[in-house]
Amino acid sequence: MIDIKVSKETLLRIENDFKDYITQRNIGYIIFVAKTNENIITAYNNKKGINFKVTFQGKDYMDLAKKYCEDPSLIHKKKKEDKESLYFIDINNQIGSDEVGTGDFLGPIVVCATYVDINAMKIINEYHIQDSKKMTDKKILELIPQIKNRIHYECKLLPNYKYNNAIKKPTFNINKIKCIMHNYVLFNLKQKCPSIQNIYMDQFLDKEKYYSYLKNVNNVVKDITFKEKGETYFPSVALASCFARYFFLEYMKELEVKYQTTIPLGASKDVDEFSINFVKKYGINELENICKANFKNLSGIKKEISF
């Protein structure tokens, strides 16, 4: 990967040369992303309108940089040990957040934010970290302990008994809870990395609605770039998704030890069958301590066991 500074004229030439390969436009401070079979070209906005930054990643990154760089003497080859990532459209310094557990009847909601710089990118490439949904739980449980002391991160875990208390309030729903949790981890991480301007989030609702849920919250983080499937585009979101999954799984392991059983994930019939047997052994109140009480699963379980 290499960054070069170009004039507006050269930027327009690059955009024209790759117009048939442009996959994204106007994502936060990114002007466009062009993706060929072997390369990714990302152009970044400059408020001053001069010396735009363009990043080249992939097989031909050096040849492309030489072709468009207005001062070839500024181009230096990267060290052989540097690895490339064609997975993300932006690998510059950034913060990103993601959550897990919102679709699971049993288990908490966990939201994490991570800071990614050049050192974190090396870790991401070395351990082949990507969206947690594309990695096995076994792999996440193996990798995250090896790297978590080398990454700046912030996590917030909401146990279900607290979730159930919150969801009873007339102004609360699961999206508002997620918004508050995302803002919490982003604000705390941004305090540790105050110079970071590029903040990404896996979009789960539109920007206006997100901020409307935070209207009575202090220290709201602004200038977030919201993007669906953000873990595909931004390494900070992908890494955050893995951290969130790790802490979710660790919490579930603690519950399994406590109740001496294997707890299924999701909200399927298998989960309902498990929950019915759980109630028979531990009681309905104990189930409500580890489940999301507003899920339809609970009413069906109560009906099945005549509560």
Side-chain angles (χ1 to χ4, degrees):
M1 185 272 287
I2 194 167
D3 297 329
I4 64 171
K5 295 292 182 66
V6 300
S7 64
K8 187 172 184 179
E9 291 73 20
T10 301
L11 178 69
L12 293 173
R13 181 160 67 93
I14 297 171
E15 184 175 10
N16 185 66
D17 288 350
F18 291 95
K19 62 184 179 182
D20 294 333
Y21 299 97
I22 292 176
T23 59
Q24 305 286 336
R25 288 186 181 274
N26 302 318
I27 306 171
Y29 71 115
I30 297 173
I31 301 173
F32 68 83
V33 179
K35 187 174 183 179
T36 69
N37 288 335
E38 296 180 328
N39 300 283
I40 291 179
I41 300 94
T42 308
Y44 300 90
N45 198 12
N46 185 323
K47 293 181 179 180
K48 296 180 180 178
I50 56 174
N51 295 328
F52 295 86
K53 185 172 77 171
V54 180
T55 297
F56 298 96
Q57 302 176 68
K59 182 178 178 181
D60 306 314
Y61 76 96
M62 187 58 67
D63 291 337
L64 291 171
K66 288 178 179 178
K67 178 179 178 180
Y68 296 108
C69 187
E70 289 147 9
D71 185 357
S73 66
L74 298 177
I75 295 179
H76 303 286
K77 285 194 174 182
K78 301 198 78 175
K79 296 178 181 179
K80 289 184 179 179
E81 62 267 22
D82 285 354
K83 297 181 180 180
E84 296 303 320
S85 171
L86 290 178
Y87 192 74
F88 305 109
I89 64 173
D90 183 12
I91 56 176
N92 291 278
N93 293 3
Q94 59 188 262
I95 288 174
S97 63
D98 201 3
E99 81 283 335
V100 300
T102 57
D104 293 286
F105 175 58
L106 306 169
I109 294 175
V110 185
V111 180
C112 285
T114 61
Y115 166 69
V116 168
D117 58 5
I118 188 171
N119 292 321
M121 275 308 304
K122 289 179 180 178
I123 294 170
I124 287 169
N125 288 327
E126 179 184 352
Y127 290 91
H128 305 290
I129 289 171
Q130 51 185 319
D131 171 17
S132 63
K133 292 187 289 295
K134 296 182 178 181
M135 299 178 67
T136 65
D137 287 345
K138 180 180 178 181
K139 196 68 174 177
I140 290 172
L141 288 168
E142 174 190 330
L143 291 183
I144 299 304
Q146 297 180 50
I147 68 171
K148 65 189 183 75
N149 292 332
R150 300 160 62 190
I151 298 290
H152 291 295
Y153 70 91
E154 191 74 31
C155 280
K156 181 69 173 177
L157 185 149
L158 185 69
N160 281 328
Y161 66 91
K162 290 187 176 181
Y163 170 87
N164 292 334
N165 287 334
I167 211 74
K168 291 176 184 177
K169 299 176 182 178
T171 60
F172 271 69
N173 58 40
I174 193 167
N175 279 334
K176 182 171 183 177
I177 290 169
K178 288 197 292 184
C179 291
I180 292 171
M181 292 177 71
H182 273 274
N183 186 73
Y184 176 89
V185 297
L186 288 173
F187 176 78
N188 284 324
L189 188 56
K190 200 168 186 299
Q191 295 299 105
K192 300 175 185 177
C193 313
S195 63
I196 291 297
Q197 299 298 317
N198 308 316
I199 303 173
Y200 297 114
M201 183 186 296
D202 184 32
Q203 184 169 7
F204 55 90
L205 77 172
D206 64 74
K207 181 178 180 178
E208 291 73 21
K209 192 68 175 176
Y210 174 84
Y211 283 114
S212 72
Y213 280 135
L214 298 175
K215 62 183 179 181
N216 295 319
V217 174
N218 295 325
N219 303 315
V220 174
V221 176
K222 302 290 188 179
D223 299 323
I224 298 171
T225 296
F226 299 86
K227 182 70 176 171
E228 291 182 5
K229 298 182 178 179
E231 64 277 5
T232 300
Y233 299 106
F234 309 110
S236 57
V237 180
L239 188 58
S241 75
C242 291
F243 269 71
R245 186 67 178 175
Y246 169 77
F247 286 109
F248 174 87
L249 293 170
E250 285 292 294
Y251 185 87
M252 295 306 291
K253 283 166 61 178
E254 292 178 8
L255 290 183
E256 290 182 338
V257 170
K258 177 179 179 179
Y259 296 110
Q260 298 182 327
T261 187
T262 299
I263 301 175
L265 303 180
S268 66
K269 289 182 179 179
D270 290 341
V271 173
D272 290 345
E273 290 176 7
F274 167 87
S275 300
I276 290 169
N277 291 326
F278 183 92
V279 171
K280 291 177 180 177
K281 185 173 183 179
Y282 293 103
I284 191 67
N285 291 337
E286 198 67 19
L287 177 66
E288 291 184 354
N289 281 332
I290 66 167
C291 80
K292 296 179 180 68
N294 64 322
F295 275 38
K296 291 180 180 179
N297 300 66
L298 184 60
S299 58
I301 291 163
K302 286 183 175 180
K303 184 182 294 186
E304 184 71 22
I305 55 180
S306 301
F307 268 87

